[in-house]
Amino acid sequence: MEKPPSLGDQETRRKAREQAARLKKLQEQEKQQKVEFRKRMEKEVSDFIQDSGQIKKKFQPMNKIERSILHDVVEVAGLTSFSFGEDDDCRYVMIFKKEFAPSDEELDSYRRGEEWDPQKAEEKRKLKELAQRQEEEAAQQGPVVVSPASDYKDKYSHLIGKGAAKDAAHMLQANKTYGCGEATVRGVAGRGTW
């Protein structure tokens, strides 16, 4: 037979129930905050869509959950959104209307933490095109023929001498240790393969 629960066990159970109730209350509060945040973001996105003067909107930095909610709201609304920033606490969301979607250069500048300037981007694009045209022109001219300033024979004549290479070429002898003696040469020649 089991003994009745002691006073300590009842106290532990009471604390566990209180903690579970606090946890459930916190979860409900977080859920309510997320619902309120979503409603607020839906209103801001709706106002953005209705304002014909705005083509993009930058939101304040927010945490990961809030950013994911905002991305979801934007996707449902049919807009384009991107997150930028380095640290998790400093990341922010920018939304764009579909007809004014950002170019790759614009996205790259935001990723670097710079403001997008269309005039600077146009200047960079023109410089890049100019450099590309110059490279193409250089390629069409053909390869540049490089000729050495001096001949290697002249350069190393003090080491090998002037006539050493010619003398070595005339005195070609077969090395018998590698099987290149007269018998081998005659044997191959006798078979008719030469």
Side-chain angles (χ1 to χ4, degrees), residues 99-167:
E99 57 271 13
F100 300 108
S103 65
D104 290 337
E105 293 86 15
E106 185 174 357
L107 290 174
D108 287 341
S109 72
Y110 291 134
R111 287 183 183 122
R112 289 189 303 266
E114 301 169 356
E115 281 299 316
W116 170 248
D117 186 3
Q119 293 171 344
K120 285 184 181 178
E122 184 63 25
E123 289 174 11
K124 284 182 182 179
R125 187 187 62 76
K126 286 180 180 178
L127 288 174
K128 196 180 269 188
E129 285 179 2
L130 179 64
Q132 187 176 8
R133 270 189 261 131
Q134 289 174 346
E135 286 178 14
E136 289 173 359
E137 289 172 3
Q140 288 176 354
Q141 291 177 355
V144 177
V145 178
V146 178
S147 59
S150 65
D151 188 17
Y152 80 95
K153 293 176 197 168
D154 295 334
K155 184 175 180 180
Y156 297 107
S157 65
H158 66 283
L159 295 175
I160 58 174
K162 297 250 186 230
K166 289 180 183 177
D167 293 342

